[in-house]
Amino acid sequence: MIKILKDPNRNILLVLNNRVYVHREFYERSKHPGHAVMVREACQLLGCPNVIYDFASETTGGSGCDQRTLKLAINKEVGYEQCGVLVPNSYFGGGHGNLTMWASEVKGQDSKLEPFSKRKGKAMYRGSLHPDPDNVFSSERMCSEVAYGNYARISAFASSLDHPDEVDAKCVDGKHHACKLPPPSCVGIVNDFNSGLKAKAKIDGKYLKDEEYRNHKYLLNLPGAASGSYSKNLNHLWRTGSVVMQWVHPFVEWYHPALEHGVTHLDVARYSVADYVKQLEKDPETAERLGSEARRIHDTLLCPRCLAAFLKETFEAVNKHLGQSLVLDDGKRLAELLREHAD
């Protein structure tokens, strides 16, 4: 065992000769196994340079970047100024980072897509509210900074009640009995956390299968329920060829520099989403163009080979920037390093 892989303060991953090495404790974090699988598949597909880095899977993004080992992160909750180098999240291929499975999923869905003009003209969303069983959202700071996901989702549900002909956004998490208002927390802490909805307002709806999602022209993406950060749902929306409607948010992912409001998607909020739907229903050419641009994002950035290529390019940049090749690509120096840090 290489001791550096067991560092309790970091989550170290080593790629050596296209093989992935981690400590067994690396797999105890929920998103770490998927990242390791995605790296393995990328290296098998395209070949990767030797590289070593610290991996951050938290929805809040990277922290502690003053460490010597470079940190790679799947999300930056408050924008690009947050530390770390962005890489894809692992919620592809059954949510396990399996690029082979991701390719199969995309191919299977493509054969079932309805022509854009035949899809329903509503903005569609299904999602849950965070139940907060541990009463984490109990202060103004936590409610304003962490519970934004719940706030955004309640706002979407409110828009659906206000404009049922344009918006179909419903809560579907009955498991925790969280699809009720007022929500589990933050009422009275954050101003109008209920977005003007009365207690016991009916915000729940039936679960929809994937094919029912695909039959809508407009697909809403809401921030994650727990912290208002990225949502794995977005990975699957671009490939549908529907218009992607992004609820306004501060978080960024690795491919977000390629996104542009009005070109690749639409940024929406409670009082704008229905208006956009009305406008696009009157302008089907623009609506279909936006759907095609959304698909282009998938085909150029989120396809299986695209994800692998980005990881490879990132590893090449890390290797070059930090001069890791001086050790990892030199057999003698690498042997000395492994002996020095052997457990």
Side-chain angles (χ1 to χ4, degrees):
M1 172 56 63
I2 306 171
K3 285 190 291 186
I4 192 174
L5 298 180
K6 196 179 178 181
D7 188 327
N9 299 313
R10 293 178 288 180
N11 299 288
I12 302 297
L13 186 147
L14 169 67
V15 176
L16 197 61
N17 298 326
N18 292 314
R19 299 187 67 178
V20 178
Y21 297 89
V22 297
H23 189 267
R24 58 181 174 271
E25 293 178 0
F26 185 92
Y27 287 98
E28 295 177 1
R29 304 288 294 276
S30 63
K31 299 160 196 168
H32 285 50
H35 178 71
V37 169
M38 182 179 282
V39 172
R40 181 200 68 196
E41 297 230 330
C43 294
Q44 289 176 346
L45 180 64
L46 300 178
C48 295
N50 295 331
V51 68
I52 188 169
Y53 58 88
D54 187 9
F55 176 63
S57 65
E58 298 85 356
T59 56
T60 53
S63 61
C65 294
D66 54 346
Q67 302 285 340
R68 292 184 63 187
T69 308
L70 191 70
K71 188 179 292 287
L72 271 55
I74 59 176
N75 172 73
K76 294 187 178 184
E77 189 178 39
V78 294
Y80 293 109
E81 294 76 16
Q82 202 169 343
C83 70
V85 175
L86 286 168
V87 292
N89 67 67
S90 60
Y91 288 110
F92 297 90
H96 307 299
N98 190 317
L99 298 182
T100 303
M101 185 182 296
W102 180 236
S104 179
E105 286 179 21
V106 173
K107 183 178 180 180
Q109 182 200 310
D110 284 352
S111 65
K112 301 175 183 177
L113 289 175
E114 290 280 347
F116 186 87
S117 61
K118 293 185 178 181
R119 303 180 193 184
K120 297 177 182 178
K122 287 187 178 183
M124 166 58 60
Y125 176 75
R126 291 292 185 271
S128 63
L129 292 176
H130 192 284
D132 190 23
D134 300 319
N135 196 32
V136 174
F137 307 154
S138 58
S139 68
E140 183 175 356
R141 184 186 70 81
M142 293 299 289
C143 286
S144 60
E145 294 181 5
V146 181
Y148 176 70
N150 269 0
Y151 178 76
R153 293 177 182 216
I154 293 171
S155 295
F157 302 148
S159 180
S160 184
L161 292 175
D162 292 342
H163 304 281
D165 293 333
E166 290 78 30
V167 185
D168 185 2
K170 297 292 189 293
C171 182
V172 292
D173 183 21
K175 182 171 57 176
H176 299 292
H177 306 290
C179 291
K180 296 179 181 179
L181 292 178
S185 53
C186 295
V187 175
I189 298 177
V190 175
N191 186 38
D192 191 23
F193 194 76
N194 274 10
S195 293
L197 295 180
K198 296 180 180 180
K200 299 183 179 181
K202 185 173 174 56
I203 61 173
D204 61 307
K206 67 175 183 178
Y207 173 82
L208 295 182
K209 295 181 180 179
D210 188 51
E211 56 265 28
E212 294 178 87
Y213 251 84
R214 292 194 302 266
N215 287 333
H216 287 78
K217 296 178 183 177
Y218 316 107
L219 298 179
L220 275 168
N221 182 63
L222 274 292
S227 64
S229 188
Y230 81 97
S231 171
K232 59 186 178 182
N233 179 54
L234 185 57
N235 293 350
H236 305 273
L237 301 188
W238 302 105
R239 67 184 185 179
T240 64
S242 296
V243 178
V244 173
M245 293 184 160
Q246 279 264 54
W247 208 264
V248 290
H249 57 77
F251 72 85
V252 292
E253 294 187 75
W254 69 274
Y255 65 96
H256 283 193
L259 304 183
E260 182 180 351
H261 168 71
V263 177
T264 58
H265 69 288
L266 292 173
D267 292 321
V268 300
R270 175 178 176 179
Y271 296 108
S272 64
V273 58
D275 287 341
Y276 276 124
V277 171
K278 291 176 183 177
Q279 293 171 23
L280 290 174
E281 284 296 280
K282 295 177 181 178
D283 186 0
E285 185 176 333
T286 297
E288 193 157 359
R289 175 184 59 79
L290 283 166
S292 296
E293 284 297 305
R295 178 63 195 224
R296 183 180 62 82
I297 291 298
H298 168 84
D299 290 344
T300 58
L301 296 168
L302 300 177
C303 71
R305 192 176 185 88
C306 306
L307 295 168
F310 186 83
L311 283 172
K312 178 182 179 180
E313 183 178 350
T314 301
F315 295 159
E316 289 172 344
V318 170
N319 180 298
K320 181 179 179 181
H321 181 71
L322 297 180
Q324 292 186 355
S325 61
L326 296 175
V327 174
L328 298 182
D329 296 350
D330 185 307
K332 183 177 179 180
R333 289 184 174 180
L334 177 60
E336 292 175 355
L337 174 70
L338 296 179
R339 281 195 297 268
E340 180 183 351
H341 291 280
D343 193 352

